[in-house]
């Protein structure tokens, strides 16, 4: 037992000395290639075995012949281990370089394509993560391009919509100033109408800027959806009467919700005004509110004749105005974008789909806790 402990002690001391030297070498080579580190690890393993063997051989007083045999065997093992370590290191470095080149391509706004050649499990996992990141970046770039295109369209449309009433206001004010207006009262009424239109447009722009900046502060309170819809219908009734459109709201459940009353009134008002203006005379705009598995669904159905399927994904985009663009009833294309922003701020969802004779806008809100 005592001899075994001595042998273990001598072997440990010899191996520990090799391990300390190897740790120092690894620290010096910490910024070098992986091949060098793997080679050092293999050399440390073989050197530790050789040092332990020599220490035990000296303690056991082996013959010079036996010591030479042991040293030769360990030296051959060291050569094979070092060659294996070099091959492994070069293979891993080559796979790493291929992965770095592929990552460089997707870093230059390109797509990431993982190398086809086999690699270690760690490099394969890293390749999968890079591929997933590349897909997410591609989606982000597409969204950014779409948003930028939408903003450019919005600037162009807003410029057009501002220029038209401003030109009219200037002409009418000059006519009044020169005293050539045949009916000054009519001119003044028209000026007031155009000013209100401009004021509404500026208000929409301000609301949209708050939504995009994430600065829309909600003041939630518990209220009945029945009361909320009733107020919105009352506010939209004069416009519906003027355009000869019937408003129907006979499927309104008194469902409690926790929302910002002012902002949700704006949502309902925008949806109703949009539906009334798109519905032909003698048409019907129907409002419904009911519970669902996802919460509370508020819907506004119009008689616009439907929206082309290819346009449905763009309905809530900023500046989208469909086929009736640049006409006064169509507005600046901000109303539905504001609807989506306010609804999403309430952790809800706004969608649109075609129905018989028109389309249905649905707003899904979380149900209030009992």
């Amino acid at each position: 037992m005592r001899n075994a402990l001595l042998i273990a002690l001598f072997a440990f001391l010899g191996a520990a000395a090799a391990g300390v030297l190897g740790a120092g070498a690894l620290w010096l080579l910490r910024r070098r290639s992986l091949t060098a580190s793997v080679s050092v690890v293999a050399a440390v393993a073989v050197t530790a075995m050789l040092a332990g063997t020599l220490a035990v051989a000296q303690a056991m007083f082996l013959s010079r012949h036996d010591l030479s045999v042991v040293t030769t065997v360990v030296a051959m093992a060291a050569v094979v281990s070092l060659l294996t370590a070099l091959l492994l290191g070069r293979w891993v470095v080559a796979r790493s370089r291929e992965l770095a080149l592929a990552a460089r391509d997707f870093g230059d706004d390109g797509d990431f394509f993982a190398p086809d050649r086999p690699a270690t499990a760690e490099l394969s996992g890293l390749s999968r993560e890079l591929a997933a990141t590349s897909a997410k970046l591609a989606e982000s770039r597409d969204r950014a391009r779409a948003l930028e295109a939408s903003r450019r369209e919005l600037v162009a449309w807003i410029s057009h919509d501002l220029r038209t009433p401003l030109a009219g206001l200037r002409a009418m004010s000059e006519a009044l100033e020169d005293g050539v207006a045949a009916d000054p009262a009519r001119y003044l009424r028209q000026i007031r109408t155009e000013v209100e239109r401009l004021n509404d447009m500026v208000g929409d722009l301000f609301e949209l800027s708050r939504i995009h900046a994430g600065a829309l502060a909600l003041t939630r309170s518990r209220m009945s959806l029945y009361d909320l819809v009733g107020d919105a219908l009352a506010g939209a009734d004069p416009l519906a009467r003027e355009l000869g459109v019937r408003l129907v709201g006979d499927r309104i459940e008194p469902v409690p919700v926790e929302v910002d009353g002012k902002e949700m009134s704006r949502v309902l008002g925008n949806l109703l005004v949009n539906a009334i203006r798109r519905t032909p005379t003698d048409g019907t705009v129907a409002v419904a509110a009911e519970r669902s598995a996802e919460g509370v669904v508020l819907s506004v159905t119009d008689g616009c004749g439907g929206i082309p399927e290819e346009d449905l994904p763009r309905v809530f985009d900023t500046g989208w105005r469909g086929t009736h663009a640049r006409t006064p009833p169509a507005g600046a294309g901000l109303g539905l974008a504001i609807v989506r922003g306010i609804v999403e701020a309430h952790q809800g969802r706004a969608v649109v789909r075609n129905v018989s004779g028109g389309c249905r806008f649905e707003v899904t809100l979380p149900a209030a806790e009992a």
Side-chain angles (χ1 to χ4, degrees), residues 1-10:
M1 183 65 182
R2 185 169 177 273
N3 290 335
L5 291 176
L6 287 174
I7 291 173
L9 178 62
F10 282 114

Side-chain angles (χ1 to χ4, degrees), residues 219-228 254-261 291 296 346 366-370:
T219 304
R220 298 174 184 265
S221 61
R222 189 182 183 91
M223 62 182 61
S224 172
L225 200 59
Y226 185 87
D227 296 334
L228 197 64
V255 183
V257 289
E258 290 186 1
V259 296
D260 186 311
R291 296 180 183 271
V296 179
H346 283 84
E369 297 181 0

Side-chain angles (χ1 to χ4, degrees), residues 24-64:
L26 286 175
W27 187 83
L28 293 174
L29 298 173
R30 63 187 183 279
R31 291 187 174 87
R32 301 296 295 275
S33 171
L34 180 64
T35 303
S37 298
V38 173
S39 300
V40 169
V41 171
V44 167
V46 176
T47 305
M49 182 177 63
L50 177 60
T53 302
L54 292 178
V56 172
Q58 291 294 334
M60 295 177 64
F61 302 103
L62 294 179
S63 65
R64 297 181 65 84

Side-chain angles (χ1 to χ4, degrees), residues 255-267:
V255 183
V257 289
E258 290 186 1
V259 296
D260 186 311
K262 178 182 177 182
E263 298 297 339
M264 284 307 302
S265 294
R266 185 172 192 133
V267 166

Side-chain angles (χ1 to χ4, degrees), residues 11-186:
F12 174 76
L13 291 176
V20 170
L21 293 175
L26 286 175
W27 187 83
L28 293 174
L29 298 173
R30 63 187 183 279
R31 291 187 174 87
R32 301 296 295 275
S33 171
L34 180 64
T35 303
S37 298
V38 173
S39 300
V40 169
V41 171
V44 167
V46 176
T47 305
M49 182 177 63
L50 177 60
T53 302
L54 292 178
V56 172
Q58 291 294 334
M60 295 177 64
F61 302 103
L62 294 179
S63 65
R64 297 181 65 84
H65 177 268
D66 292 341
L67 184 61
S68 175
V69 171
V70 171
T71 304
T72 301
V73 172
V74 173
M76 293 300 100
V79 171
V80 174
S81 299
L82 287 175
L83 288 176
T84 304
L86 287 172
L87 290 176
L88 174 62
R90 289 176 64 85
W91 182 78
V92 173
V93 168
R95 300 292 85 74
S96 299
R97 287 175 178 170
E98 291 176 357
L99 190 59
L101 290 175
R104 184 181 303 168
D105 291 338
F106 107 85
D108 295 334
D109 292 340
D111 294 327
F112 176 80
F113 297 99
D116 295 332
R117 302 177 67 179
T120 63
E122 291 78 10
L123 291 179
S124 297
L126 178 59
S127 179
R128 289 191 296 270
E129 291 296 328
L130 288 174
T133 302
S134 175
K136 292 178 181 178
L137 287 176
E139 293 177 1
S140 299
R141 287 194 295 267
D142 292 340
R143 286 195 299 268
R145 293 190 187 101
L147 181 59
E148 183 61 27
S150 176
R151 286 176 177 173
R152 286 197 297 267
E153 291 179 359
L154 175 62
V155 170
W157 289 342
I158 287 294
S159 300
H160 177 275
D161 289 341
L162 286 175
R163 186 182 297 113
T164 301
L166 287 175
L169 288 172
R170 182 172 63 181
M172 286 184 288
S173 62
E174 290 176 351
L176 290 172
E177 184 179 6
D178 296 338
V180 297
D183 187 355
R186 184 175 66 85

